[in-house]
Amino acid sequence: MIGDDPALRAAYGLCRRRTREQDPAEYALIQLVPSALRPACWALWAAANALDDLGDDRTAPAAERAARVEEWISALRRELPTGTSPDPVRHALLDTTARWRLDLSELHGAMAQVRDDTRGRRFDDWAAWRTWGRDNLLPWFGQVRTLFDRAGVPVALRLDTRETYEEFLDGVRLTDILTDLSADLAQGDLLLPDEAVRPFPGAAEDLAHRRWSPAVAALVTHLTGLARQWVTQEGLGRGMHPGPATVLDTMAALLRAQLDAIGTSGPALLRRPPRPAFPARARILAPARVRAALAWSLTPLTVPPARHPGQAAPPPADRPALTTVLRPPPPHPTGLRPPSIPPGQLPTHVAVIMDGNGRWAQRRGLPRYEGHRAGAAAVREVVHGALDIGLRHLTLYTFSTENWNRGAQEVDAILGLLRREVADDPFRELDVRLRWHGRSRRLPPDLVDLLHLRERTTRTRTGLTLTMCIDYGGRDELTRTAAALARRARAGHLDPDLITEEDFARHLPHPDMPDVDLLWRTGNEQRTSNFLPWHTAYAELHFTPELWPDVDRRHLWQAITTYTHRQRRLGTAPVDGEDEAGDA
């Protein structure tokens, strides 16, 4: 449903034609969604592709391409309040954003990445490559998921686990790279990690000269098998509405067909992009169209009305800005400022066990969940204090794996409070990058979605990194890391007898998380409770009597001040004149 506006119909028509001509597989997938949702999908695809085209246009130098991408993004930012644009692709995107109430701020990081990619990309290992690929793909896929949510589909492309979903997208990215290998090599790009190419001596040089060799053939065979493994996820659509599940299953089948074409192309892979034969695609798409039509015929959809010529655009407040203006935190009510501590003496990473919420409530004759509500206000205060003093990393023990053993009413209250806090996004205008550490299987799917959303929309912020440990257990983290190492050893990538601490650290769920300098626990308890055992091996411990809801930013400042008075030797011998007690 596009409406009667000729300019708008022309804009969506252009997006449709570009999708069909430039990516027939994507167009075929969009044809599997209800007709009312297709224009929005065309607009999203065309916008992403328009940016990629600007960034990839090698007729212009890198600086000019970066400037063109930035101008496209800036124009979209300027046009967002008006809901219209002279550029047809942006015009369709803005209409889609307004009608379906999408939040384009989620796309800012992915758009900025296209600009940054004009300077070239090189990846040392798979971890860096995955971060790059996921940061680009996840926000756009997130918009499609939101689109289904707005249409009232019961399960909006929600997968059981984050790991499965993201590994599938890794397969999408790797398949795209193998498909476009000839075009990328012609431009001097090799968008593969060194870790992947290194085991095939001579392959990098041969690819640079576009020579097909045994090393290149072996590398392509290896990568094709890896991509096939990633896109073949058992039960990928389990628990989903059958409409989106059919789209996702069909996407996986088309990717496997594309990998078949890559695997049989041989030297031609370095000259032109391979494409599956028409019969192979038809065998996949014909039954998929039948299944999708049946699924959607039984599903009532909520479709917003189209705008008509002369109709005013929705008010700007209904459309979040593409970027957020970051502000300093509000001052403490007393006007007190943080102590002046030289940056070299500040801890880099403070981790907090926020103990005492339940006891705080019980002492006041309140239900335990009221203590958690009061504790949420303390979290905001401590985050403000961390920003005030210039702390780089703050990690909060929010909900442990053991907390599931509490009463059902208290667990529901805690999860409900977390859901509201993450949805309200109290740090939206602060320079806070939010990260989540923990498991997803037992958490409500909508909370998991919100946590991923906040991670995506704040990933480019450079101030405080706030890590929320939710359904987290230290022994579980170590077990998962050991399992990851075992898989690598079984695949022949690691010698079990030569595994080092550095190898272990690289396989942690968050390998870039720095060691904890200061572990602070409130509530007058003196134990670490299965919290960050790897990262706190040499942390200074600080235990205080106040219950968490009674804490504000001044308590954080005091904890940090105490830390600066500690002698941290990390196992070295004390210098002459120092007290030798506790010299471990």
Side-chain angles (χ1 to χ4, degrees), residues 296-326:
W296 295 122
S297 69
L298 301 174
T299 305
L301 298 177
T302 303
V303 179
R307 278 195 289 153
H308 300 287
Q311 182 178 349
D318 288 349
R319 295 186 298 281
L322 187 57
T323 55
T324 301
V325 177
L326 300 180

mmCIF file of all heavy atoms in Angstrom, residues 296-326:
data_model
loop_
_atom_site.group_PDB
_atom_site.id
_atom_site.type_symbol
_atom_site.label_atom_id
_atom_site.label_comp_id
_atom_site.label_asym_id
_atom_site.label_seq_id
_atom_site.Cartn_x
_atom_site.Cartn_y
_atom_site.Cartn_z
ATOM 1 N N TRP A 296 0.476 -16.462 5.006
ATOM 2 C CA TRP A 296 -0.009 -15.085 5.121
ATOM 3 C C TRP A 296 -1.516 -14.996 4.925
ATOM 4 O O TRP A 296 -2.153 -14.078 5.466
ATOM 5 C CB TRP A 296 0.707 -14.193 4.108
ATOM 6 C CG TRP A 296 2.181 -14.075 4.369
ATOM 7 C CD1 TRP A 296 3.186 -14.405 3.516
ATOM 8 C CD2 TRP A 296 2.821 -13.608 5.560
ATOM 9 N NE1 TRP A 296 4.410 -14.177 4.097
ATOM 10 C CE2 TRP A 296 4.213 -13.691 5.357
ATOM 11 C CE3 TRP A 296 2.350 -13.145 6.791
ATOM 12 C CZ2 TRP A 296 5.136 -13.319 6.325
ATOM 13 C CZ3 TRP A 296 3.274 -12.776 7.768
ATOM 14 C CH2 TRP A 296 4.641 -12.871 7.525
ATOM 15 N N SER A 297 -2.120 -15.945 4.199
ATOM 16 C CA SER A 297 -3.576 -15.908 4.021
ATOM 17 C C SER A 297 -4.302 -16.145 5.336
ATOM 18 O O SER A 297 -5.464 -15.748 5.489
ATOM 19 C CB SER A 297 -4.008 -16.963 2.993
ATOM 20 O OG SER A 297 -3.837 -18.280 3.512
ATOM 21 N N LEU A 298 -3.634 -16.762 6.287
ATOM 22 C CA LEU A 298 -4.248 -17.056 7.586
ATOM 23 C C LEU A 298 -3.845 -16.055 8.653
ATOM 24 O O LEU A 298 -4.168 -16.245 9.834
ATOM 25 C CB LEU A 298 -3.836 -18.475 8.033
ATOM 26 C CG LEU A 298 -4.218 -19.613 7.074
ATOM 27 C CD1 LEU A 298 -3.621 -20.928 7.559
ATOM 28 C CD2 LEU A 298 -5.734 -19.721 6.966
ATOM 29 N N THR A 299 -3.151 -14.991 8.258
ATOM 30 C CA THR A 299 -2.609 -14.047 9.232
ATOM 31 C C THR A 299 -3.172 -12.656 9.020
ATOM 32 O O THR A 299 -2.886 -12.009 7.997
ATOM 33 C CB THR A 299 -1.068 -13.982 9.113
ATOM 34 O OG1 THR A 299 -0.531 -15.295 9.237
ATOM 35 C CG2 THR A 299 -0.485 -13.091 10.205
ATOM 36 N N PRO A 300 -3.963 -12.145 9.950
ATOM 37 C CA PRO A 300 -4.391 -10.742 9.840
ATOM 38 C C PRO A 300 -3.227 -9.816 10.168
ATOM 39 O O PRO A 300 -2.520 -10.016 11.163
ATOM 40 C CB PRO A 300 -5.499 -10.634 10.896
ATOM 41 C CG PRO A 300 -5.198 -11.712 11.889
ATOM 42 C CD PRO A 300 -4.542 -12.826 11.127
ATOM 43 N N LEU A 301 -3.017 -8.818 9.334
ATOM 44 C CA LEU A 301 -1.906 -7.896 9.515
ATOM 45 C C LEU A 301 -2.408 -6.522 9.923
ATOM 46 O O LEU A 301 -3.519 -6.115 9.576
ATOM 47 C CB LEU A 301 -1.099 -7.773 8.225
ATOM 48 C CG LEU A 301 -0.421 -9.045 7.705
ATOM 49 C CD1 LEU A 301 0.271 -8.745 6.380
ATOM 50 C CD2 LEU A 301 0.567 -9.593 8.710
ATOM 51 N N THR A 302 -1.579 -5.818 10.658
ATOM 52 C CA THR A 302 -1.846 -4.425 11.006
ATOM 53 C C THR A 302 -1.021 -3.552 10.072
ATOM 54 O O THR A 302 0.209 -3.524 10.165
ATOM 55 C CB THR A 302 -1.457 -4.149 12.470
ATOM 56 O OG1 THR A 302 -2.168 -5.036 13.326
ATOM 57 C CG2 THR A 302 -1.756 -2.705 12.837
ATOM 58 N N VAL A 303 -1.678 -2.865 9.157
ATOM 59 C CA VAL A 303 -0.975 -2.086 8.136
ATOM 60 C C VAL A 303 -1.353 -0.621 8.293
ATOM 61 O O VAL A 303 -2.535 -0.271 8.214
ATOM 62 C CB VAL A 303 -1.334 -2.577 6.720
ATOM 63 C CG1 VAL A 303 -0.608 -1.742 5.674
ATOM 64 C CG2 VAL A 303 -0.981 -4.056 6.565
ATOM 65 N N PRO A 304 -0.378 0.258 8.528
ATOM 66 C CA PRO A 304 -0.701 1.684 8.667
ATOM 67 C C PRO A 304 -1.160 2.256 7.332
ATOM 68 O O PRO A 304 -0.752 1.780 6.262
ATOM 69 C CB PRO A 304 0.620 2.306 9.114
ATOM 70 C CG PRO A 304 1.673 1.373 8.619
ATOM 71 C CD PRO A 304 1.062 0.008 8.677
ATOM 72 N N PRO A 305 -2.006 3.281 7.350
ATOM 73 C CA PRO A 305 -2.503 3.862 6.093
ATOM 74 C C PRO A 305 -1.400 4.598 5.348
ATOM 75 O O PRO A 305 -0.462 5.123 5.944
ATOM 76 C CB PRO A 305 -3.596 4.832 6.559
ATOM 77 C CG PRO A 305 -3.213 5.183 7.968
ATOM 78 C CD PRO A 305 -2.571 3.950 8.539
ATOM 79 N N ALA A 306 -1.520 4.601 4.046
ATOM 80 C CA ALA A 306 -0.574 5.339 3.211
ATOM 81 C C ALA A 306 -0.917 6.817 3.231
ATOM 82 O O ALA A 306 -2.057 7.215 3.463
ATOM 83 C CB ALA A 306 -0.623 4.817 1.782
ATOM 84 N N ARG A 307 0.118 7.645 3.017
ATOM 85 C CA ARG A 307 -0.116 9.079 2.908
ATOM 86 C C ARG A 307 -0.602 9.417 1.503
ATOM 87 O O ARG A 307 -0.221 8.779 0.529
ATOM 88 C CB ARG A 307 1.166 9.857 3.192
ATOM 89 C CG ARG A 307 1.435 10.047 4.679
ATOM 90 C CD ARG A 307 2.487 11.112 4.889
ATOM 91 N NE ARG A 307 3.801 10.672 4.478
ATOM 92 C CZ ARG A 307 4.762 11.477 4.062
ATOM 93 N NH1 ARG A 307 4.538 12.773 3.970
ATOM 94 N NH2 ARG A 307 5.933 11.011 3.711
ATOM 95 N N HIS A 308 -1.411 10.430 1.404
ATOM 96 C CA HIS A 308 -1.953 10.865 0.115
ATOM 97 C C HIS A 308 -1.404 12.251 -0.223
ATOM 98 O O HIS A 308 -0.879 12.957 0.645
ATOM 99 C CB HIS A 308 -3.488 10.907 0.183
ATOM 100 C CG HIS A 308 -4.077 9.567 0.501
ATOM 101 N ND1 HIS A 308 -4.116 8.538 -0.414
ATOM 102 C CD2 HIS A 308 -4.628 9.090 1.651
ATOM 103 C CE1 HIS A 308 -4.677 7.477 0.137
ATOM 104 N NE2 HIS A 308 -4.998 7.783 1.391
ATOM 105 N N PRO A 309 -1.482 12.652 -1.470
ATOM 106 C CA PRO A 309 -0.960 13.972 -1.847
ATOM 107 C C PRO A 309 -1.535 15.075 -0.970
ATOM 108 O O PRO A 309 -2.737 15.136 -0.727
ATOM 109 C CB PRO A 309 -1.405 14.118 -3.313
ATOM 110 C CG PRO A 309 -1.549 12.719 -3.811
ATOM 111 C CD PRO A 309 -2.047 11.925 -2.633
ATOM 112 N N GLY A 310 -0.648 15.945 -0.478
ATOM 113 C CA GLY A 310 -1.078 17.056 0.357
ATOM 114 C C GLY A 310 -1.208 16.714 1.820
ATOM 115 O O GLY A 310 -1.373 17.612 2.648
ATOM 116 N N GLN A 311 -1.155 15.423 2.171
ATOM 117 C CA GLN A 311 -1.302 15.039 3.571
ATOM 118 C C GLN A 311 -0.012 15.360 4.304
ATOM 119 O O GLN A 311 1.092 15.070 3.830
ATOM 120 C CB GLN A 311 -1.605 13.546 3.685
ATOM 121 C CG GLN A 311 -1.820 13.077 5.117
ATOM 122 C CD GLN A 311 -2.156 11.590 5.154
ATOM 123 O OE1 GLN A 311 -2.426 10.981 4.123
ATOM 124 N NE2 GLN A 311 -2.146 11.015 6.334
ATOM 125 N N ALA A 312 -0.128 15.938 5.491
ATOM 126 C CA ALA A 312 1.047 16.328 6.260
ATOM 127 C C ALA A 312 1.800 15.104 6.759
ATOM 128 O O ALA A 312 1.198 14.065 7.041
ATOM 129 C CB ALA A 312 0.632 17.199 7.459
ATOM 130 N N ALA A 313 3.097 15.243 6.865
ATOM 131 C CA ALA A 313 3.905 14.161 7.437
ATOM 132 C C ALA A 313 3.654 14.084 8.931
ATOM 133 O O ALA A 313 3.247 15.064 9.561
ATOM 134 C CB ALA A 313 5.388 14.425 7.165
ATOM 135 N N PRO A 314 3.868 12.917 9.556
ATOM 136 C CA PRO A 314 3.736 12.813 11.007
ATOM 137 C C PRO A 314 4.673 13.799 11.694
ATOM 138 O O PRO A 314 5.703 14.190 11.141
ATOM 139 C CB PRO A 314 4.155 11.361 11.296
ATOM 140 C CG PRO A 314 3.961 10.641 9.996
ATOM 141 C CD PRO A 314 4.228 11.647 8.941
ATOM 142 N N PRO A 315 4.328 14.240 12.906
ATOM 143 C CA PRO A 315 5.176 15.207 13.601
ATOM 144 C C PRO A 315 6.572 14.656 13.833
ATOM 145 O O PRO A 315 6.745 13.440 13.989
ATOM 146 C CB PRO A 315 4.437 15.451 14.926
ATOM 147 C CG PRO A 315 3.541 14.264 15.079
ATOM 148 C CD PRO A 315 3.165 13.846 13.698
ATOM 149 N N PRO A 316 7.582 15.514 13.859
ATOM 150 C CA PRO A 316 8.954 15.053 14.026
ATOM 151 C C PRO A 316 9.162 14.196 15.259
ATOM 152 O O PRO A 316 10.008 13.325 15.279
ATOM 153 C CB PRO A 316 9.764 16.357 14.103
ATOM 154 C CG PRO A 316 8.934 17.354 13.376
ATOM 155 C CD PRO A 316 7.509 16.964 13.638
ATOM 156 N N ALA A 317 8.409 14.433 16.331
ATOM 157 C CA ALA A 317 8.589 13.666 17.560
ATOM 158 C C ALA A 317 8.354 12.188 17.341
ATOM 159 O O ALA A 317 8.827 11.346 18.099
ATOM 160 C CB ALA A 317 7.652 14.191 18.642
ATOM 161 N N ASP A 318 7.584 11.841 16.307
ATOM 162 C CA ASP A 318 7.302 10.433 16.043
ATOM 163 C C ASP A 318 8.476 9.729 15.368
ATOM 164 O O ASP A 318 8.454 8.513 15.215
ATOM 165 C CB ASP A 318 6.073 10.300 15.137
ATOM 166 C CG ASP A 318 4.792 10.633 15.870
ATOM 167 O OD1 ASP A 318 4.833 10.762 17.107
ATOM 168 O OD2 ASP A 318 3.780 10.755 15.194
ATOM 169 N N ARG A 319 9.476 10.483 14.940
ATOM 170 C CA ARG A 319 10.589 9.879 14.223
ATOM 171 C C ARG A 319 11.892 10.199 14.942
ATOM 172 O O ARG A 319 12.353 11.339 14.909
ATOM 173 C CB ARG A 319 10.639 10.401 12.780
ATOM 174 C CG ARG A 319 9.445 10.006 11.954
ATOM 175 C CD ARG A 319 9.622 10.411 10.503
ATOM 176 N NE ARG A 319 9.739 11.844 10.336
ATOM 177 C CZ ARG A 319 8.709 12.684 10.350
ATOM 178 N NH1 ARG A 319 7.497 12.224 10.550
ATOM 179 N NH2 ARG A 319 8.887 13.968 10.181
ATOM 180 N N PRO A 320 12.495 9.210 15.602
ATOM 181 C CA PRO A 320 13.756 9.473 16.304
ATOM 182 C C PRO A 320 14.814 9.990 15.342
ATOM 183 O O PRO A 320 14.869 9.608 14.179
ATOM 184 C CB PRO A 320 14.142 8.093 16.862
ATOM 185 C CG PRO A 320 12.867 7.303 16.870
ATOM 186 C CD PRO A 320 12.052 7.829 15.731
ATOM 187 N N ALA A 321 15.662 10.860 15.843
ATOM 188 C CA ALA A 321 16.720 11.426 15.016
ATOM 189 C C ALA A 321 17.701 10.342 14.598
ATOM 190 O O ALA A 321 17.866 9.327 15.268
ATOM 191 C CB ALA A 321 17.453 12.528 15.793
ATOM 192 N N LEU A 322 18.350 10.577 13.453
ATOM 193 C CA LEU A 322 19.334 9.614 12.971
ATOM 194 C C LEU A 322 20.521 9.539 13.924
ATOM 195 O O LEU A 322 21.134 8.497 14.093
ATOM 196 C CB LEU A 322 19.800 10.009 11.572
ATOM 197 C CG LEU A 322 20.716 9.039 10.835
ATOM 198 C CD1 LEU A 322 20.053 7.674 10.708
ATOM 199 C CD2 LEU A 322 21.072 9.585 9.468
ATOM 200 N N THR A 323 20.859 10.648 14.538
ATOM 201 C CA THR A 323 21.908 10.659 15.553
ATOM 202 C C THR A 323 21.371 11.346 16.807
ATOM 203 O O THR A 323 20.417 12.109 16.759
ATOM 204 C CB THR A 323 23.150 11.415 15.070
ATOM 205 O OG1 THR A 323 22.773 12.731 14.652
ATOM 206 C CG2 THR A 323 23.823 10.689 13.920
ATOM 207 N N THR A 324 22.019 11.058 17.924
ATOM 208 C CA THR A 324 21.617 11.630 19.203
ATOM 209 C C THR A 324 22.691 12.602 19.675
ATOM 210 O O THR A 324 23.882 12.294 19.625
ATOM 211 C CB THR A 324 21.433 10.521 20.252
ATOM 212 O OG1 THR A 324 20.431 9.614 19.794
ATOM 213 C CG2 THR A 324 21.020 11.093 21.592
ATOM 214 N N VAL A 325 22.271 13.784 20.114
ATOM 215 C CA VAL A 325 23.213 14.751 20.679
ATOM 216 C C VAL A 325 23.552 14.303 22.092
ATOM 217 O O VAL A 325 22.672 14.162 22.948
ATOM 218 C CB VAL A 325 22.595 16.162 20.688
ATOM 219 C CG1 VAL A 325 23.546 17.146 21.345
ATOM 220 C CG2 VAL A 325 22.254 16.608 19.268
ATOM 221 N N LEU A 326 24.827 14.026 22.333
ATOM 222 C CA LEU A 326 25.253 13.533 23.641
ATOM 223 C C LEU A 326 25.498 14.702 24.577
ATOM 224 O O LEU A 326 26.065 15.729 24.194
ATOM 225 C CB LEU A 326 26.514 12.685 23.498
ATOM 226 C CG LEU A 326 26.370 11.452 22.590
ATOM 227 C CD1 LEU A 326 27.684 10.684 22.524
ATOM 228 C CD2 LEU A 326 25.247 10.548 23.071
#
